[in-house]
Amino acid sequence: MRGADRAVGGGKRERTAQIDRVALAYTCHYIPKDTGSDTVEHFTPKSVNPALAYEWSNFRLVCGRLNGRKGDHQDVLDPASITASPFQIDFPSLQLKISENLNKDIIDLAESTIVRLKLNEERCIESRQEYVENYCNDIVSLAGLQRYAPFLYYELNRQDLSKDELRKIMSYSS
């Protein structure tokens, strides 16, 4: 095992799996392409707990815009710790909504996450809209959604929406 692998507590495969899981958790919100390059977020801010500054388990891959919005705030859901999404996509508005049947603490954090990170701002809605339009117009396949817009893919399946139903809801013609 190489020194870098030992330093972060695991092999390359284990680290890659963790990166993928965390990256997908944040990208599920369809952050627009013009939000800066990927950055490493210290989920627990270094200013709050400097001992976690180099802990692999505290790193999150996120775009520069979200990293800046989160800053040192601790009122945002940790994407690496959630097992089921506390969010839903409302069709046709494409706004993120809070899932039902969650405990109050999760609801409060989910609401705070949407507000703090501005996940329902116009740019985010437009980005979701682009994925939906491209899917409905056969530019992006369902497999493409699964890879590049995993939360949208998840919501289409959870809501049991076919492409034709989605076209109808979104007022697109085929």
Side-chain angles (χ1 to χ4, degrees), residues 54-104:
Y54 298 103
E55 285 293 324
W56 182 254
S57 62
N58 192 39
F59 296 160
R60 306 293 180 266
L61 180 64
V62 63
C63 72
R65 183 176 305 257
L66 285 187
N67 196 348
R69 287 178 180 170
K70 181 184 173 292
D72 285 350
H73 300 284
Q74 295 187 278
D75 57 350
V76 173
L77 276 169
D78 181 358
S81 69
I82 52 179
T83 54
S85 180
F87 304 107
Q88 297 176 350
I89 296 177
D90 177 67
F91 294 97
S93 74
L94 300 177
Q95 290 198 359
L96 291 184
K97 304 288 185 185
I98 308 300
S99 299
E100 297 178 10
N101 303 320
L102 299 171
N103 72 47
K104 181 169 176 10

Side-chain angles (χ1 to χ4, degrees), residues 95-149:
Q95 290 198 359
L96 291 184
K97 304 288 185 185
I98 308 300
S99 299
E100 297 178 10
N101 303 320
L102 299 171
N103 72 47
K104 181 169 176 10
D105 291 340
I106 298 295
I107 290 171
D108 290 346
L109 271 176
E111 289 173 347
S112 179
T113 299
I114 290 172
V115 171
R116 168 81 51 214
L117 301 181
K118 300 178 183 176
L119 298 176
N120 281 332
E121 72 174 1
E122 186 176 342
R123 296 171 90 169
C124 291
I125 301 290
E126 288 172 354
S127 184
R128 293 180 200 126
Q129 178 78 29
E130 183 179 355
Y131 279 110
V132 169
E133 284 180 17
N134 287 340
Y135 173 64
C136 287
N137 291 322
D138 298 317
I139 297 168
V140 173
S141 67
L142 192 59
L145 282 183
Q146 184 177 17
R147 180 172 182 180
Y148 298 107

